[in-house]
Amino acid sequence: MKSVLEVLQSTSAYFAKAGVESPRLNIEHLLAHVLGLPKRMDLYLAFDRPLSELELAPLRALVRRRAQGEPLQHLLGTVEFHGRTFRTDARALIPRPETELLAEKILARFSTPPPRILDVGTGSGILALTLAAQWPEAEVHAVDISEAALSLAKENAASLQLDSRVTFHHGSLMTAVSGVFACIVANLPYVPTGEMASLSREVQRDPALALEGGPDGTDLIRPLLLAARAHLQGLLALEIGHAQSAPLAEALAAAGYRDISQESDYNHRNRFLFATYG
Ligand SMILES: C[S@@+](CC[C@H](N)C(=O)[O-])C[C@H]1O[C@@H](n2cnc3c(N)ncnc32)[C@H](O)[C@@H]1O
């Protein structure tokens, strides 16, 4: 029988050969998941624990899929985002840590909650649901062009008991929504078409509809800036590709937005734009 430590060591080596980034971290997450441990670090108290065939069989299947490029988050089925657990799968983009930073920046900008909020391109629903949870007084709307993403977002709303707080709309950009919002947030696709083929095999498991943003990545963001004006009295908050920050800041100014600020992510690259309108 193999021990926890032996499995961690042998699978780390196997993952490294298979080109899996952070191999040790990946096997730790998968093993903790199979053993039903609440925290990955709990493995460190169980290095000598022998693993039965009953435990190893499901682990082997997950290890094989991870080595073939399936994202860790799809295998675990959940991600943590701003202190809450969200279901994640191939229906929508896997939530990214940068987007957590966007949520924090939005929350920090309001001393009193904005009464009406819209999340455009909601995907798994992380932004809309996080803002709804943090601001119980706010009326939150979320829109996506993908029915599959919306079905996942609705499942997340139900499991967080926020389904009565967020209204989901199916449609493109602003076409399915009405009324005026005090905050519009959007993490729309922004990968330039020419870069799609060079994305990692894990990122290529995200829906193309969630990634591809046309020749320079701004095919959806530019029309949003224009269309949002008819529905905005307050803050527009965008996650973008870093090469797009300066040109989109110019586009915002040309469209009549004020207080335009380009803000950076954890890697000191400008990845967020904030501006006010109305
Ligand atoms: C980069 S993902 C972001 C998902 C989620 N907001 C997040 O931060 O994890 C972009 C989302 O925009 C949606 N989308 C793409 N084109 C759209 C459009 N024209 N109108 C509305 N949503 C769109 C995609 O289906 C996808 O869910």
Side-chain angles (χ1 to χ4, degrees):
M1 249 192 218
K2 280 188 166 184
S3 69
V4 162
L5 184 59
E6 283 167 338
V7 167
L8 292 178
Q9 287 169 338
S10 61
T11 315
S12 296
Y14 172 64
F15 275 166
K17 262 199 217 142
V20 173
E21 255 184 55
S22 310
R24 173 72 180 228
L25 191 69
N26 273 261
I27 180 56
E28 286 181 2
H29 276 293
L30 290 175
L31 184 52
H33 174 70
V34 163
L35 296 180
L37 299 176
K39 290 193 296 317
R40 175 178 61 88
M41 298 308 280
D42 293 341
L43 290 171
Y44 284 75
L45 302 173
F47 275 166
D48 296 332
R49 177 186 187 294
L51 293 168
S52 69
E53 190 49 37
L54 214 63
E55 292 165 326
L56 282 174
L59 182 70
R60 277 196 207 103
L62 293 174
V63 165
R64 195 177 323 113
R65 289 166 63 187
R66 183 67 194 93
Q68 287 165 355
E70 247 182 90
L72 177 67
Q73 296 88 338
H74 285 180
L75 299 176
L76 300 176
T78 57
V79 290
E80 294 297 305
F81 186 90
H82 205 264
R84 291 177 189 84
T85 303
F86 288 80
R87 193 174 297 180
T88 184
D89 59 32
R91 285 176 287 175
L93 188 95
I94 296 169
R96 307 289 204 266
E98 292 79 16
T99 310
E100 210 166 26
L101 186 54
L102 174 63
E104 279 163 20
K105 284 174 177 285
I106 295 168
L107 289 165
R109 276 178 168 261
F110 289 88
S111 49
T112 54
R116 241 177 141 241
I117 299 167
L118 174 66
D119 175 17
V120 184
T122 195
S124 59
I126 44 164
L127 285 167
L129 294 167
T130 297
L131 297 177
Q134 296 297 126
W135 284 326
E137 307 85 358
E139 176 187 325
V140 181
H141 294 257
V143 64
D144 207 291
I145 201 165
S146 158
E147 296 263 30
L150 284 171
S151 71
L152 178 62
K154 286 176 189 170
E155 286 171 22
N156 277 321
S159 69
L160 293 167
Q161 298 181 329
L162 290 166
D163 34 352
S164 64
R165 297 281 325 288
V166 180
T167 308
F168 292 97
H169 308 266
H170 178 229
S172 181
L173 302 179
M174 305 298 294
T175 52
V177 296
S178 56
V180 170
F181 300 91
C183 176
I184 298 180
V185 51
N187 176 18
L188 282 166
Y190 56 73
V191 179
T193 304
E195 291 176 21
M196 289 291 291
S198 55
L199 296 173
S200 73
R201 56 187 183 164
E202 283 80 5
V203 175
Q204 293 196 12
R205 301 283 184 127
D206 281 319
L209 194 57
L211 298 171
E212 190 171 351
D216 73 348
T218 65
D219 270 12
L220 289 154
I221 302 169
R222 286 181 189 276
L224 176 74
L225 309 182
L226 303 179
R229 293 176 301 180
H231 299 273
L232 182 60
Q233 269 176 25
L235 181 73
L236 178 68
L238 303 171
E239 181 171 334
I240 52 159
H242 68 100
Q244 299 150 9
S245 185
L248 286 175
E250 271 175 38
L252 283 165
Y257 285 82
R258 305 180 309 277
D259 312 319
I260 299 159
S261 104
Q262 304 179 49
E263 300 194 14
S264 57
D265 64 9
Y266 300 113
N267 296 317
H268 311 290
R269 297 191 309 183
N270 281 345
R271 294 287 316 287
F272 309 109
L273 279 171
F274 294 92
T276 55
Y277 193 87

